[in-house]
Structures are given as structure tokens and as C-alpha cells.
Amino acid sequence: MEYLPNIVFAIALIVGIGFFVRNVKKLIRNIKLGKKVDVGDNKPQRWKNMARIALGQTKMVVRPIAGLLHIIVYVGFIIINIEVLEIILDGILGTHRLFSPIGLLYDILIGSFEILAFLVIVAVTVFWVRRNIIKLQRFIKPEMKGWPKKDGNMILYIEFVLMVLFLTMNAADFQLQQMGADHYDQAGAFPISQFITPLFDGLSISTLTGIERTAWWLHILGILAFLNYLYYSKHLHILLAFPNTYYGKLKPQGQFNNLESVTNEVKLMMDPNADPFAAPANPDAAAPEKFGASDVMDLNWVQLLNAYTCTECGRCTSECPANQTGKKLSPRKIMMDTRDRLEEVGKIMDANKGEFVSNGKQLLDDYISREELWACTTCNACVEACPVSIDPLSIIVEMRRYLVMEQSAAPMELNNMMSNIENNGAPWPYNQMDRLNWVNE
Ligand code: SF4
Ligand code: SF4
């Protein structure tokens, strides 16, 4: 019986981490459904981008208030969780405050964790007020109704509760230390939780031990539960922001990728010496399976990683000129739809022993409408605004490419323009020979 808590703790730890690993595997499998893309270039620049954007949060502070609060929550959450290491070791070994023999450094660490925990509580409260009381425009757009709204709030509640549990645990511990209770040796500094301890005045040692142990257990079980909640939440970005910024686009933002097969065709057309009936230079080259994207499997894996990384912050949508002028397009929704469809595909595969069986749906039309796609001005404002290097425009362009090249389904104005370019070498409906006629008018 003496070891029962250690055994229960070890089981909880194995189950929590086991589910997390299972979800990570699923995540990697889903991302790998995307097409291969070469992102192995310029590694120094990629590391720099990751350090600057994901670790340094440089794009977050473009909006200073939200940026500062986010940095507090981010730093607080990461640093306070260093203490989780001590909690895990205590749980397994049956010790209490295992690291306390390091003395002054331990006091400084616990003291700074407490200050950060308090700042996190303040920051998540402000975030909650911005979402639910002030109702900032970007948090009440149509795509934020239902689960995305609940998810955003849920994350704030969980962080709030975890920090309160941490401070309650410390406050009870501090009180027990003052009372000279067994196993509660003087250790740590408690600049915040010392203000909670007066609430415990008059409580017996056994009651206080119960409070301390309950807060301790709920804190660690809450962290394990939160770890597993990540997969189902936009909060996955706390992990994926790092690879996503590493694999982010390095080319100038206005530069689109060309399809090699089309480039070769155009070169052939433009070459006056080319023999259109000549045998292909590389007869073994495989014909492109499909131009553009109508479903998630047609996108590349970086675009799918982008979808899982989206924080749903709406900075892209609030900068989007199409959205600002009342069009149906929201770049945030493009990313959310891509993720939702990818999740649907993943679930179908789970239910069919890893095989994808069509359910008659696809990303185009069932999730993202043509109206949304054609509302985009390709201005790149969304790409510029994204704090984690997501490129919604690349998905829009791939889907438009599919509509134009596979379905000839561009809007009439575009079809006319493209026919004119093909026939007349210019977007206007005039023969090249007549271009200078205006001079004589
Ligand atoms: S590129 Fe398209 S989606 Fe992005 S901000 Fe511009 S108009 Fe909006
Ligand atoms: S794409 Fe980027 S800017 Fe847009 S909601 Fe997602 S994380 Fe925010």
C-alpha cells in the first residue's frame, strides 16, 4: 500500500504519454498524405527564421498588447513546466520537492515560477475578456462559431486552472512548512502564494496535506490531459510553430511556383526553332497526374503542416482586403477547412485499416467554395500577417490552378482574358496587327 500512489502515478504517466505518442503518430501520418516538396535548401536561413519567429515571437509583437500577453503566456507556460520534471520525479520516486537541496537556486526558481504563474493568470484573463466581453472583430467572424470559439475559451480555462492549482499547491506547502509538518522541509520562495496562505489559517495538518496533495495530483493530471487535448485543438501550434517556421517559404512572397510540365510546354511554344512533332526530350518522364488541388492529398505536406499549425488568431483575415470589403473569403477559414478535411480523411483511414476510401467529399466545394477562391486578390497580406509563417495563398492558388487547368472553370472574365493572351498575346480582344490603330484615330 505504501507504494500505491507511485504505482498510480506511473500508470497515469504511461497512459498520458502513450495517448500523446499515438496522436503524434496520427498527426505525422496525416501530414505525410501531402505531396513531397523540396525544403532542404538554405538551412542556416531556416534555423534563423525558426529562432526569430517561433522562439523570439517577433511577428507576434507587431500587435504589441496581444504580443506581450502572448509572450507572457508562452514563456510562463514553458518555464513553469520545468517544474513538471520535479513533479514527475517526485511522483515516481515518492519524494517531495526532490530538487530542493540545490538551495538558493531552488528558491529563485520556485519564486520566479510563481511570478510567471500570476502573470499567466492575468494574461489569460485579459485574453478571455477580449474574446468574450469586448468581442474583438477577428474573434467573432463566422468561422469562429461553435467548436473554434469553445476551443479558444477552453484553452484559457485550462491554463487558468493549472496556474491556480500550482499556486494553491505551493500555498498549502508553504503553510505546512511553517507548521513544521513531516516531509515538508523548508524549501522554495513563495512571493505569490504567501498571499493565499491566510485562507488556510486554522486548518489542521491533515487537512492541509489533503489540499496540497489534491492540488498536486490535479495539476499533474491536468497537464497530462492538456497534452492530449492539444491534438484536437488549435493549441497544437505550441509544438508545430517550430517546424512550421523552419519549413516556411523562403522565396519572395510574390513568387509563385511553376509547374515544370507547363513551363516546358511554354518554352516549346516560344521557341521558333522547336519542332512540335519531335519526340519528347525525356520520354520516360511521368505525365502530371493532376494540375492543382481539389483535395488535401493534392496539396504538399508543408501546406498540410500549415493547416495543423494555424492558431486561428485571425490576423490574416483582419488584413485581408477581400474580407475587409465584405467578400466571403477568410484566409483563416481556408486553413481551418484544410485541417478539418485532413482530419476527416485521417478518420476515414483509421476506420479502414489505414486505407483511404472516398466518402464523396473533397476540399473544393464541400469545404472551400469557388466564390471564396476567386475573391482572393493574391496580395499576400495574409502571408505577411501570419505570426507562424503560414501561407494560405498557396492553397488558394493550387485550388484555382485545379479549376482553371482541370475544369476550365475560371470566371468568364478570366477565361476571356486567357483566350486573348493565347490568341492575341495581350489581354485585350484585338489582333496584334491592330494594336497601333489608335494612333490614327
Ligand atoms: S492573398 Fe488573398 S486571402 Fe491573402 S490577404 Fe490577399 S486577398 Fe486575402
Ligand atoms: S493563418 Fe496565421 S494569421 Fe491566419 S489565423 Fe492561422 S495563424 Fe493566424
Side-chain angles (χ1 to χ4, degrees):
M1 285 303 275
E2 192 191 338
Y3 296 109
L4 187 63
N6 310 39
I7 294 167
V8 173
F9 182 84
I11 292 172
L13 195 65
I14 291 167
V15 171
I17 293 179
F19 271 109
F20 179 67
V21 170
R22 192 194 68 150
N23 284 339
V24 168
K25 279 189 184 160
K26 228 186 250 187
L27 185 73
I28 294 172
R29 180 205 61 188
N30 290 357
I31 290 173
K32 279 187 169 172
L33 291 176
K35 290 184 170 169
K36 287 200 175 86
V37 58
D38 184 15
V39 279
D41 59 327
N42 207 345
K43 289 196 171 82
Q45 184 60 44
R46 292 187 180 279
W47 283 111
K48 220 164 112 187
N49 286 353
M50 188 174 83
R52 192 171 52 85
I53 303 170
L55 202 61
Q57 307 257 307
T58 45
K59 287 183 95 177
M60 282 305 297
V61 288
V62 172
R63 298 187 185 204
I65 297 176
L68 183 68
L69 292 170
H70 188 271
I71 287 174
I72 290 172
V73 175
Y74 163 74
V75 173
F77 198 72
I78 302 282
I79 292 184
I80 292 165
N81 281 327
I82 293 173
E83 216 217 335
V84 173
L85 181 63
E86 185 188 43
I87 292 181
I88 288 174
L89 290 175
D90 278 344
I92 294 170
L93 304 172
T95 49
H96 184 68
R97 295 198 178 268
L98 181 67
F99 298 157
S100 59
I102 59 176
L104 180 63
L105 179 60
Y106 188 78
D107 294 353
I108 294 171
L109 282 174
I110 297 293
S112 17
F113 294 163
E114 287 219 340
I115 292 168
L116 275 168
F118 176 69
L119 290 174
V120 171
I121 287 174
V122 173
V124 294
T125 307
V126 176
F127 278 143
W128 186 86
V129 169
R130 279 156 46 96
R131 277 174 181 265
N132 299 283
I133 308 287
I134 302 174
K135 295 193 172 155
L136 287 190
Q137 268 299 312
R138 66 191 162 104
F139 295 128
I140 55 169
K141 296 272 178 188
E143 69 269 18
M144 293 306 286
K145 296 207 166 41
W147 169 249
K149 181 173 188 230
K150 281 194 199 128
D151 179 36
N153 280 331
M154 180 79 84
I155 292 160
L156 299 178
Y157 298 142
I158 295 174
E159 285 177 352
F160 186 93
V161 170
L162 286 178
M163 295 303 116
V164 169
L165 285 170
F166 172 71
L167 292 173
T168 308
M169 173 184 89
N170 277 358
D173 196 311
F174 183 45
Q175 186 81 337
L176 285 161
Q177 290 180 20
Q178 307 291 90
M179 294 164 79
D182 276 353
H183 309 300
Y184 289 91
D185 300 331
Q186 295 283 338
F190 305 96
I192 304 296
S193 60
Q194 64 174 314
F195 295 107
I196 303 175
T197 48
L199 295 175
F200 299 148
D201 280 349
L203 296 183
S204 67
I205 286 184
S206 62
T207 309
L208 275 171
T209 309
I211 293 173
E212 192 274 335
R213 286 291 84 193
T214 306
W216 187 94
W217 275 99
L218 290 178
H219 182 63
I220 187 65
L221 292 179
I223 287 172
L224 288 173
F226 195 33
L227 191 67
N228 282 290
Y229 177 70
L230 290 185
Y231 178 76
Y232 307 95
S233 156
K234 73 178 184 108
H235 215 51
L236 201 48
H237 74 268
I238 62 168
L239 303 177
L240 295 186
F242 294 90
N244 200 70
T245 47
Y246 180 85
Y247 291 115
K249 187 176 173 185
L250 295 184
K251 288 182 188 146
Q253 280 182 1
Q255 188 175 334
F256 293 129
N257 67 328
N258 286 329
L259 294 179
E260 200 189 335
S261 52
V262 177
T263 308
N264 291 342
E265 283 293 316
V266 172
K267 278 184 183 158
L268 195 68
M269 273 167 55
M270 304 297 280
D271 181 359
N273 301 318
D275 174 3
F277 302 107
N282 180 6
D284 297 331
E289 290 167 10
K290 185 175 180 178
F291 293 111
S294 61
D295 210 346
V296 284
M297 291 80 93
D298 305 324
L299 297 170
N300 68 48
W301 68 264
V302 174
Q303 289 167 318
L304 301 186
L305 173 66
N306 277 189
Y308 273 122
T309 309
C310 180
T311 73
E312 297 172 15
C313 67
R315 290 178 183 222
C316 52
T317 297
S318 70
E319 299 290 332
C320 173
N323 191 277
Q324 283 172 0
T325 49
K327 312 285 189 304
K328 210 178 162 196
L329 173 65
S330 161
R332 168 173 55 189
K333 179 178 172 291
I334 299 286
M335 301 317 301
M336 293 166 73
D337 285 344
T338 305
R339 177 179 175 161
D340 288 349
R341 171 61 184 160
L342 185 53
E343 272 299 292
E344 185 178 54
V345 168
K347 280 182 191 149
I348 292 173
M349 290 176 73
D350 289 339
N352 293 285
K353 298 188 181 133
E355 286 296 313
F356 175 65
V357 179
S358 173
N359 64 341
K361 285 187 177 179
Q362 58 173 5
L363 186 61
L364 178 68
D365 295 333
D366 293 307
Y367 285 83
I368 300 174
S369 68
R370 295 165 194 231
E371 184 183 344
E372 290 167 82
L373 294 174
W374 292 114
C376 177
T377 67
T378 68
C379 68
N380 266 300
C382 53
V383 185
E384 180 65 35
C386 181
V388 283
S389 303
I390 287 171
D391 186 354
L393 175 58
S394 69
I395 295 178
I396 294 172
V397 168
E398 282 304 327
M399 295 184 75
R400 281 186 178 185
R401 192 172 261 164
Y402 172 81
L403 286 173
V404 172
M405 299 183 75
E406 291 279 343
Q407 296 203 327
S408 300
M412 196 179 65
E413 298 85 343
L414 280 179
N415 275 339
N416 288 344
M417 183 199 75
M418 287 186 284
S419 310
N420 289 333
I421 290 178
E422 200 176 338
N423 297 329
N424 307 326
W428 300 284
Y430 306 114
N431 190 301
Q432 291 193 39
M433 305 301 290
D434 296 334
R435 272 191 193 174
L436 287 177
N437 285 358
W438 61 275
V439 175
N440 304 321
E441 284 178 4

